[in-house]
């Protein structure tokens, strides 16, 4: 775990009891995914909290486009990043 003044990042090798949007269950095999949770300490109205993952996905997508201009990146709801149609 990485902890700072405004929050923490909790990193996992694998996840066996993940919960996604609308309570959906998902798994993450060890060594195959980036699996982490970000806990931030900010005051955000509850109706806008869901926008954080959307902005994060779009921000990563835009950063990758600038770093690797020759590759075709896209973002799929809510925050999956793709290169040439393949999820990364």
């Amino acid at each position: 775990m990485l902890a700072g003044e405004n929050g923490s990042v909790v990193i996992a090798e694998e996840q066996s009891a993940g919960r996604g949007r609308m309570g959906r269950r998902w798994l993450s095999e060890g060594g195959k995914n980036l699996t982490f949770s970000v806990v931030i300490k900010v005051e955000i109205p509850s109706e806008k909290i869901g926008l954080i993952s959307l902005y994060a996905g779009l921000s990563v997508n835009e950063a990758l486009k600038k770093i690797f201009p020759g590759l075709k990146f896209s973002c799929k709801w809510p925050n999956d990043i793709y290169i040439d149609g393949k999820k990364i």
Side-chain angles (χ1 to χ4, degrees):
M1 177 170 71
L2 306 171
E5 184 177 319
N6 294 318
S8 303
V9 176
V10 181
I11 302 166
E13 294 290 327
E14 63 182 333
Q15 189 161 9
S16 60
R19 282 189 328 218
R21 292 175 31 82
M22 296 190 274
R24 294 184 180 126
R25 184 172 176 252
W26 58 275
L27 307 173
S28 173
E29 283 185 61
K32 293 194 174 189
N33 302 289
L34 296 174
T35 310
F36 58 92
S37 294
V38 178
V39 180
I40 55 175
K41 298 175 187 174
V42 294
E43 292 186 31
I44 298 175
S46 60
E47 66 273 7
K48 294 187 178 183
I49 202 79
L51 294 174
I52 292 173
S53 64
L54 296 174
Y55 285 131
L58 291 172
S59 298
V60 169
N61 189 54
E62 291 302 310
L64 289 171
K65 285 179 180 179
K66 289 180 181 177
I67 295 168
F68 304 102
L71 297 175
K72 184 181 175 187
F73 291 93
S74 60
C75 191
K76 183 181 174 192
W77 178 268
N79 56 13
D80 292 336
I81 307 296
Y82 287 75
I83 298 176
D84 295 324
K86 296 181 181 178
K87 186 176 174 180
I88 59 169

